[in-house]
Amino acid sequence: MLNVIRVLRSVLGVLFFTLILSGCTDEGVTKTYSQFPDAYGKDDTWLVSWYICGSDLESEHGAASADIEEMMETDLPPNVRVLILAGGTQEWQNDAFEHPLNLYLYDADGLHELKHLPDADMGRAKTLTDFLRYGEENYPADHRVFVFWDHGGGSAAGVCCDERTENMLRLNDLRQAFSAVYGEHPAEPPYEIVGFDACLMASYETAATLEGFARYMVASEEMEPGNGWNYDAWIGALGDNPAMGGARLGEVICDSYLAGCREEDTEEEATLSMIDLERLPALTSAYEAYSRDVLARAANLSPAFFAALDRAAQRAENYGGNTREMGYANMVDLAGLAQETAREFPSAAALVRAVEDACIYKVHGDYRRRGGGISSYYSYDGDEDGFLVYVDQDAALMEQKCLLYTMLYGELPDEAEEVLAGQSNTGPVNVPAAVPTGRRQIFNTAALEDRAVDVDRDGNAFVRLSANEMDMLSSVRCNLLYIGEKEGIVLYLGSDTNVDADWEHGIFKDNFDGTWPMLDGHPVYIEIVEEGDDYNLYSIPIKLNGMECNLQVAYSYTDEKYRILGARRGLEPNGMSDRNLIRLKPGDMVTTIHYAMSISGDDEDFIAVDVDTFRLGSHPEVRDEEVGDGTYGYLFEFVAPAGESALSNIAVFEIENGDIMTSVE
C-alpha cells in the first residue's frame, strides 16, 4: 500500500463533485455540463493509460505517489481500468514501487503489480511506444484515455524529462510513438482523450502532433501548480458513469482541476482547456492563412513591422514566465496574438474564431482570464538554440518557422518563396535548410546605447527618440539602481514599464516617485513578466527557506495593490518548468537577491548577491514603499524584438527627506 496520503481527499472529493455536478457559475469556468451529454453505454469498457515520469517531482516531493494514492480513493466498476507505467525518477516515495520502472493495473479489485520490467528511459520514444503497444495488445477497451504526467516545457521542450538521463519526449517523439502503434493515419482516433498533467502543453503544435490519435486533448497553457489534476474526482466520475463521452470527461477533468487549485490556493494563474481535435484542420487552415499574411509583411524586413508584432505578443497573454530570472518558455496565447494584430491583418479574425471553435471548454484563474485556451511558440528572447529545437518539430507550421527565422536572422529562408505561394510543406522534412552563422542586423539597438538623458523644468528625466528609432522598439522600460558610495557598491533594483511614454512625439519620461516594491518592508529586485490592461505580473528572485526561487506577484490597477501568487523555481536549462508552486507563510525565512557591482572595481558585470534575510510577518505582503534617502540611478531600457536591448545614460536621483533632485551628466 502506498504510504503517501493527500490530506482530506475523501472529504474534498465530495466537495468537488458537489461543485461540478451543480455546474460552476463563476467566471473562471466558461460552460456547463449541459453542453456535453452522455455519448456511450453504461457497460462500455474504458482503459486509462497513465504515463508517469516521476522526475524530481517524485524524488523531492512525492507528487506522483500522492496522485496515485489519490486515484486509489476511488472505487472502480469492472468496466473501468487504469494501466500505469511509472519511472523516470531517482527515488520513489512509496512502498509499492520497488523498481526503477513499474507496471501496475488499478481496477475494481485494487492495485496490482503486473510484471517486473527492465529499466527504460521515460524520455525516449521507444518506452512510450512499448507502453502504448502493451495496453493495446493486452487490455482491449471500447474507449481509451492516455495521460502524460510530469514536467512540461511547451512546443519546443516537450514533456516527461527522465530525472536519471535528462532525456525528454519532444513532440516528434510523441507522433513517432503513436504512429508506430496505430499507423500514421488511423481510420478512427484510438483515444477519446490524450491529456497532459504537465505545464505549458496546450499548444497548437501539441494538438497538431496528436491529430488523428485522439478526439480531444486536455492540457494547460500555463504552468501547472504541484497539486495538478484531481484523479479521484475525474477517474471516480468515469467509474460512476462510464456512459459519458470524451467531451464530458474532459469537462470533469477541467472543473475538478480548478476546484482543486482553489482548495490548495493555487488557482490565480491556473488554466486548463479541452481542444476538439476534429476541428483542428479548420484551425490549421486559419493559422496558415494568418501566418502567410504576416510573413508576407515580414518579407520587407522592416524593423517597424517586427516591433509592432512584438508589441502585440507582449500585450497578449504569455506563459512560463518569460523573464531573465524565470527563463523563457516562449509560449504566447494564439487568439490573444491574433486579436492584438486584427487591425493589420483581416485574417486574424478568422483565426480567433477557429481557436474559439476548437477550444470547446476551458477554466482559468483570475490572472489568466484573457487566454483563448490554445498557445503557440513565439521567440520572446531570440534564443537560437530554442528556435532550432522548435523548427525541428514536424507539427509546427512552416509559415511560422519562416516568420520567426526572418525575425531572428534578418533574412527570408529559402523555403519562404513556396510558403508565400501557398505551397507550405508540413511533412517530416520541414526545417529551414540553411541557418546563417551570424545574424543580420534588423534592430540597430547599438545606436541607442548610452543615449543622452535630459531633465525637464519639472525635474523629470527624459529621452527623446526619432521616429525611426521608435519604429524598431517593442517597449521602453525603466531600470533603477541604488548607488551606495559608502558601501562601495551599485545595487540593481530591477525593471518595470512604469514610464511616461509619448510615442507620438518620441518623449519618454521617468515616473519615479521615490517608491519601489518591497516585501514586508524590504526592497526587492523585480522584473515585469506581463503588462495587461487591468493588471501586471512580476517576478522577484528570492531564497525561500534557503531555496532559490522566484516570487510571482500580480499588481491590480483596480485597487492599486499587489497580490502574492506564490514562489517557484525558474525554467530548467532543458526548458522544463517547475510545478512546485509554494505559498508564503508567516515565519518563512526569506533572503532577497539583488545584482551588485563594485564602484571601485574593474569588473563592470553585475553579480547576484544576497542582501536582506528576514522572517515574514503574520500577513506577508508586497507594496510600494519609500526607498529612503540616498543616491539612485535611473536608466531607460530600449527593448527590441528577438531579445535585443540597449540602455541609456544614467540619470541620478538624490533623495533627501523625501525630496528628489534629478541630475544628468
Side-chain angles (χ1 to χ4, degrees), residues 152-154 199-201 220-224 269 271 316-333 368 375-376 380 527-530 537-539 550 552 568-572 575-578:
C199 302
L200 302 168
M201 297 307 294
S220 173
E221 287 190 277
E222 187 54 281
M223 294 181 288
E224 287 191 355
E269 293 185 285
T271 69
E317 279 193 355
N318 64 85
Y319 307 106
N322 293 316
T323 68
R324 286 170 290 206
E325 280 296 316
M326 285 290 294
Y328 289 83
N330 289 320
M331 301 302 299
V332 66
D333 182 69
R368 280 292 172 253
S375 63
S376 189
Y380 284 99
E527 288 184 335
I528 189 162
V529 175
E530 182 179 306
L537 299 179
Y538 295 91
S539 179
N550 293 273
Q552 296 178 280
R568 57 168 28 112
R569 292 175 297 187
L571 297 178
E572 297 293 333
M576 294 293 157
S577 61
D578 181 29

Side-chain angles (χ1 to χ4, degrees), residues 519-520 522 542-547 549 551 564 566-567 582-591 612-620:
L519 174 60
D520 273 8
H522 298 265
I542 61 171
K543 289 181 180 177
L544 181 61
N545 300 318
M547 181 184 73
C549 56
L551 187 64
I564 298 174
I582 306 169
R583 279 295 195 183
L584 300 192
K585 305 183 302 297
D588 279 341
M589 188 68 72
V590 170
T591 299
D612 293 330
T613 298
F614 56 96
R615 290 194 181 277
L616 294 176
S618 58
H619 300 286

Side-chain angles (χ1 to χ4, degrees), residues 28 55 173 179 222 226 234 251 256 321 326 356 413 439 510:
S55 67
D173 295 322
S179 297
E222 187 54 281
W234 72 267
E251 186 180 19
S256 62
M326 285 290 294
E356 293 174 344
R439 297 188 184 182
D510 82 83

Side-chain angles (χ1 to χ4, degrees), residues 12 14 44 56 58 84 91 97 136 147 158 165 220 236-237 283 291 347 352 375 481 508 531 579 585:
L12 294 179
V14 175
D44 283 12
D56 62 321
E58 173 63 18
I84 302 169
E91 183 181 4
F97 289 10
E136 183 69 25
V147 178
T165 67
S220 173
L283 175 57
S291 300
S347 56
V352 173
S375 63
L481 311 171
F508 300 85
E531 185 176 21
R579 287 181 55 174
K585 305 183 302 297

